Amino acid sequence: MIYLSMFAISSFFIYIFEKTEKTNKVYSKIFLILGLSLPILLAALRDETVGIDISTYVKPLYNCALRSENFSAFLSMIKMNIKTREVETGFCILVYISTIVFKSLNGVMLLCEFFIIIPLYLALINIKKYMYQYHSDIYINYIWISMFCYYAFFYNNSLNQIRQAIACSFTLLFFSLAILRKYKVAIVTLLIASSMHFSAFVVIFIYVLFYLISKEKNKIHWFISIGIIFASAFLSQIFEWILKIGYTIKIIPEKYYGQIFIVKYNDIDYNFLWIIICIFMVITSVMINIKYKNIAIFQEWQIISLLALCMMPVCGIYANFGRIVLYLLIYSVVIIPLVYTVTVHKIVQARLFSDCLIVIFGIAYWIVSIGLYDYTGTLVYKFVWS
């Protein structure tokens, strides 16, 4: 399968980069470029039938840009098109620029995937810098395993839900910059994320939570975690109230307010697969907090994991609730690799054990979620020239 081959090769190149970056910087950077280029090129060279949302709004936007004489005409044409008039402005600008530069739908897909993979990688670099800066005694796993997690859990989804995939990467980048106290750049990334998908503003809550936890020296995260578990029974009603209030005061657009759907069999299967990731996140984050006391970022990740797990049942009631959960699930790429940090002093050859465990889990998850259910419409890969 072309996807699994790309996952393996890209992760391996990034692994070589991490192993050689201190001894041979030029040689190692070549592998980094190759590793990051593979997922971008695979996305760019696909046929327009790979990914449901390509025909839903990406191609219509591309056609609008192609027929427009200038940007003003492009915006006017978007408003007259049913499929494009509700697409966020930032994504429209991205499509317009890529159309002008490449004059090809595949060029648009290339630039879209670029703004998914590169911000994600930069976010992982920043989080590792944070750990070195504030907790240098705690060793976390290599970035290649985090990238592999992203490929296995989210890559195919990024070929479909493109706007939110970009927003998710930029929200993770925002969080990584904010914890390093680079607030000006962080604000810019947040604005970019929200211009790609309105729901990206949820990341503000995630950072505020981290800020509050970092100011407390007690076990507040355990009380919050217990509170989340009890509150989960009322999440459906709470979410409905938030939607109504937001819609009433014109903060939440109508398209996000009105989408309530009846659960179908495949939706339940899809939610169940997300729950598996959430459970893995919860187990890992709880274990890391038991091992390392009073580490704010670990406490934050425990709360995120529990919140994601408790919010999953509501995804079967409200169509757009799953979009909010995605901003929590993206943290799985940094939480799940902490398996190594948990086991390093307890199991011989801990890295080999943890890496194999994560890779096997990732492959199994991909086979079930994409291979069996193919909820993204990307299983059958076709090159643009085929």
Side-chain angles (χ1 to χ4, degrees):
M1 176 62 68
I2 190 169
Y3 292 113
L4 293 177
S5 299
M6 186 279 289
F7 299 168
I9 296 171
S10 174
S11 300
F12 179 67
F13 283 162
I14 296 171
Y15 169 78
I16 293 177
F17 162 74
E18 292 187 281
K19 295 292 286 186
T20 61
E21 62 176 326
K22 292 182 179 179
T23 57
N24 193 327
K25 292 185 178 180
V26 176
Y27 173 80
S28 63
K29 285 181 180 178
I30 293 174
F31 280 98
L32 176 63
I33 293 171
L34 289 172
L36 297 178
S37 296
L38 283 175
I40 297 172
L41 290 175
L42 190 65
L45 297 176
R46 73 188 190 273
D47 185 73
E48 63 184 61
T49 59
V50 181
I52 300 169
D53 283 358
I54 296 295
S55 59
T56 302
Y57 60 83
V58 179
K59 189 175 181 180
L61 275 174
Y62 165 74
N63 289 333
C64 288
L66 206 60
R67 295 197 301 267
S68 301
E69 296 181 357
N70 51 55
F71 186 67
S72 178
F74 171 65
L75 293 178
S76 299
M77 196 172 295
I78 288 174
K79 293 177 181 178
M80 294 186 293
N81 191 312
I82 295 176
K83 291 185 176 181
T84 60
R85 63 188 179 191
E86 292 186 340
V87 177
E88 285 79 356
T89 304
F91 188 77
C92 293
I93 294 172
L94 177 62
V95 172
Y96 181 78
I97 293 173
S98 55
T99 302
I100 297 300
V101 173
F102 297 105
K103 298 190 184 302
S104 165
L105 181 60
N106 294 93
V108 174
M109 292 188 283
L110 182 145
L111 203 59
C112 287
E113 197 66 28
F114 176 88
F115 281 107
I116 296 171
I117 297 299
I118 301 305
L120 171 73
Y121 180 78
L122 293 176
L124 296 173
I125 290 288
N126 287 337
I127 290 171
K128 197 159 189 175
K129 284 181 181 178
Y130 171 85
M131 293 302 298
Y132 285 150
Q133 184 174 340
Y134 294 99
H135 307 289
S136 57
D137 57 321
I138 301 176
Y139 192 85
I140 61 175
N141 214 331
Y142 286 116
I143 289 176
W144 76 266
I145 197 72
S146 292
M147 293 300 295
F148 181 85
C149 287
Y150 181 83
Y151 296 152
F153 303 156
F154 305 112
Y155 180 75
N156 285 78
N157 192 55
S158 77
L159 304 182
N160 179 43
Q161 294 182 341
I162 299 173
R163 288 182 297 145
Q164 187 162 14
I166 298 174
C168 282
S169 290
F170 272 98
T171 55
L172 191 62
L173 181 58
F174 162 81
F175 179 80
S176 71
L177 289 166
I179 62 176
L180 288 173
R181 300 178 183 177
K182 298 180 179 179
Y183 296 117
K184 291 182 180 179
V185 184
I187 291 172
V188 172
T189 61
L190 175 61
L191 293 175
I192 293 173
S194 59
S195 72
M196 296 295 166
H197 206 282
F198 175 81
S199 57
F201 278 115
V202 72
V203 76
I204 296 175
F205 162 78
I206 295 174
Y207 175 70
V208 169
L209 189 61
F210 170 79
Y211 179 81
L212 294 175
I213 292 172
S214 63
K215 293 297 180 182
E216 295 289 339
K217 301 301 181 183
N218 52 30
K219 298 180 179 180
I220 187 174
H221 74 288
W222 290 109
F223 292 104
I224 296 175
S225 299
I226 294 171
I228 289 171
I229 294 172
F230 281 105
S232 63
F234 307 98
L235 275 178
S236 177
Q237 186 63 52
I238 292 170
F239 184 65
E240 185 176 346
W241 289 340
I242 293 172
L243 279 177
K244 287 181 178 179
I245 294 170
Y247 177 68
T248 302
I249 61 178
K250 307 298 181 182
I251 294 178
I252 296 177
E254 183 178 0
K255 62 177 179 178
Y256 296 125
Y257 173 71
Q259 292 185 17
I260 301 175
F261 68 99
I262 298 174
V263 180
K264 297 179 181 179
Y265 178 75
N266 285 338
D267 295 325
I268 296 174
D269 291 329
Y270 171 60
N271 291 338
F272 176 73
L273 293 169
W274 275 9
I275 289 173
I276 293 174
I277 294 181
C278 292
I279 292 173
F280 203 155
M281 291 169 65
V282 169
I283 293 172
T284 305
S285 60
V286 169
M287 289 178 67
I288 200 73
N289 275 287
I290 292 173
K291 184 173 181 178
Y292 296 101
K293 311 296 183 182
N294 299 322
I295 306 297
I297 197 165
F298 291 162
Q299 295 172 349
E300 164 87 346
W301 289 341
Q302 177 181 311
I303 293 172
I304 286 174
S305 302
L306 279 170
L307 190 59
L309 179 61
C310 291
M311 288 171 70
M312 282 308 304
V314 188
C315 294
I317 302 173
Y318 297 100
N320 280 305
F321 203 77
R323 295 187 180 277
I324 297 175
V325 176
L326 268 176
Y327 294 108
L328 304 176
L329 287 177
I330 193 68
Y331 287 86
S332 64
V333 303
V334 290
I335 295 173
I336 289 178
L338 290 175
V339 168
Y340 171 74
T341 310
V342 171
T343 61
V344 64
H345 299 302
K346 299 181 180 180
I347 298 178
V348 178
Q349 297 177 323
R351 168 162 292 144
L352 180 61
F353 168 81
S354 62
D355 289 352
C356 288
L357 176 65
I358 294 168
V359 168
I360 291 170
F361 175 78
I363 293 173
Y365 178 86
W366 186 90
I367 289 173
V368 175
S369 63
I370 303 300
L372 295 182
Y373 296 109
D374 190 25
Y375 67 93
T376 62
T378 60
L379 175 62
V380 180
Y381 185 88
K382 295 180 182 179
F383 284 104
V384 64
W385 56 77
S386 61

